[in-house]
Amino acid sequence: MSEFAARVTDAVKIYGTGEAEVRALDGVSLGFAAGRFTAIMGPSGSGKSTLMHCAAGLDTLTSGSAHIGGTELGTLGDRQLTLLRRERVGFVFQSFNLVPTLSVAENISLPRDLAGGRADDAEWTETLIDVVGLRDRLHHRPGELSGGQQQRVAVARAFAGRPDVVFADEPTGNLDSRSGEEVLRLLGDAVRRTHRTVVMVTHDPVAAAHADEVVFLADGRLVDRMHVPTPQRVLDRLKAFDTAGVTA
Ligand SMILES: Nc1ncnc2c1ncn2[C@@H]1O[C@H](COP(=O)(O)OP(=O)(O)OP(=O)(O)O)[C@@H](O)[C@H]1O
Ligand SMILES: [Mg+2]
């Protein structure tokens, strides 16, 4: 197995053409180590979501390559890519993206059911339900939950198919600090207890400090990496960008 759960090499992503052209990624090479929690930070528009979407196979690069484990995404057809996403990748979006007509339990098991299911899945789902602390809400619908509870469902759903890597785009962006802490703790637990790989975009230094490593983007480029982050060190680093005029 590759030491990286996901990686991009010389990744370039250009949106639009001519006057409207935007280089959202301008030559990024970056690996997300297996079994680790990585945070991606950078100013608005620096390419964080684009990087995550391209690394996860939700969008394609203009040039360069993206791998999930040993599989190069650019070599896959649409059907193979869909299967790979279902079997090996999980997502947590800022806006939850739960299915409003399904219960909590159904929302959590949906990706697993789509992926075809496995014999020991019921047990795994039970573990996840306990990890996210939603046993007493299993038959509620998303509209009957708080924002923090909905995001916890989204986290459980992302891990339901036992993906190699979970990508989370500002998973705490819509939450109060207490719910946010819970979601971050869950993501950290998933890495440390179930050996998953998590990649999370965040604007919050406190959230980023939950990760093992923080990578910093600016103008579509990788500009720094920080191991063993603390909120203060991350904040200082972000301030340094501001002073250098890198921030939009
Ligand atoms: N579909 C698109 N079409 C054209 N330009 C796009 C598209 N998606 C993103 N961009 C542009 O690409 C750049 C990077 O966008 P991206 O969404 O990756 O930024 P981000 O770092 O996630 O920002 P934020 O922190 O605001 O979410 C931005 O300049 C954006 O306007
Ligand atoms: Mg974004």
Side-chain angles (χ1 to χ4, degrees):
M1 199 188 127
S2 168
E3 71 176 296
F4 296 118
R7 68 190 154 97
V8 295
T9 308
D10 300 326
V12 172
K13 177 67 177 181
I14 299 173
Y15 289 112
T17 52
E19 293 272 290
E21 185 179 298
V22 176
R23 287 178 90 85
L25 295 178
D26 193 11
V28 177
S29 296
L30 175 61
F32 300 108
R36 306 246 300 165
F37 187 178
T38 306
I40 303 176
M41 299 195 86
S44 180
S46 58
K48 303 180 297 295
S49 295
T50 304
L51 173 64
M52 203 151 77
H53 291 163
C54 291
L58 286 172
D59 200 351
T60 54
L61 291 167
T62 306
S63 67
S65 64
H67 285 76
I68 296 284
T71 309
E72 189 187 340
L73 303 185
T75 65
L76 303 180
D78 283 349
R79 200 184 128 68
Q80 290 169 305
L81 198 55
T82 303
L83 283 176
L84 174 131
R85 279 198 307 258
R86 271 185 200 162
E87 287 166 6
R88 291 166 64 185
V89 183
F91 301 97
V92 182
F93 297 96
Q94 181 168 7
S95 55
F96 315 143
N97 278 5
L98 301 177
V99 182
T101 52
L102 297 181
S103 70
V104 166
E106 289 163 337
N107 264 288
I108 292 175
S109 59
L110 184 66
R112 185 199 79 196
D113 295 343
L114 285 174
R118 297 205 321 214
D120 54 353
D121 279 343
E123 200 182 321
W124 175 240
T125 306
E126 289 298 303
T127 307
L128 285 175
I129 288 165
D130 284 330
V131 171
V132 298
L134 288 167
R135 188 162 294 288
D136 57 346
R137 291 288 187 281
L138 283 184
H139 303 294
H140 288 236
R141 300 201 193 284
E144 299 163 343
L145 302 176
S146 72
Q149 288 168 338
Q150 289 184 57
Q151 192 60 297
R152 283 190 269 152
V153 176
V155 170
R157 180 187 54 182
F159 287 100
R162 289 179 213 259
D164 297 332
V165 50
V166 166
F167 292 93
D169 198 349
E170 299 189 44
T172 60
N174 281 329
L175 304 180
D176 61 50
S177 60
R178 184 159 161 266
S179 303
E181 274 296 314
E182 284 177 13
V183 166
L184 290 163
R185 197 172 37 74
L186 285 178
L187 292 171
D189 279 356
V191 172
R192 286 175 266 278
R193 283 167 46 183
T194 70
H195 310 291
R196 305 287 129 175
T197 304
V198 172
V199 180
M200 169 181 76
V201 169
T202 183
H203 284 107
D204 176 3
V206 174
H210 281 256
D212 300 310
E213 183 182 11
V214 184
V215 300
F216 296 90
L217 292 188
D219 294 330
R221 297 201 182 92
L222 177 68
V223 291
D224 203 3
R225 315 179 68 142
M226 181 187 290
H227 294 275
V228 200
T230 64
Q232 190 58 50
R233 288 182 65 218
V234 171
L235 197 57
D236 290 345
R237 191 67 192 82
L238 294 174
K239 281 189 191 148
F241 285 140
D242 281 337
T243 333
V246 181
T247 310

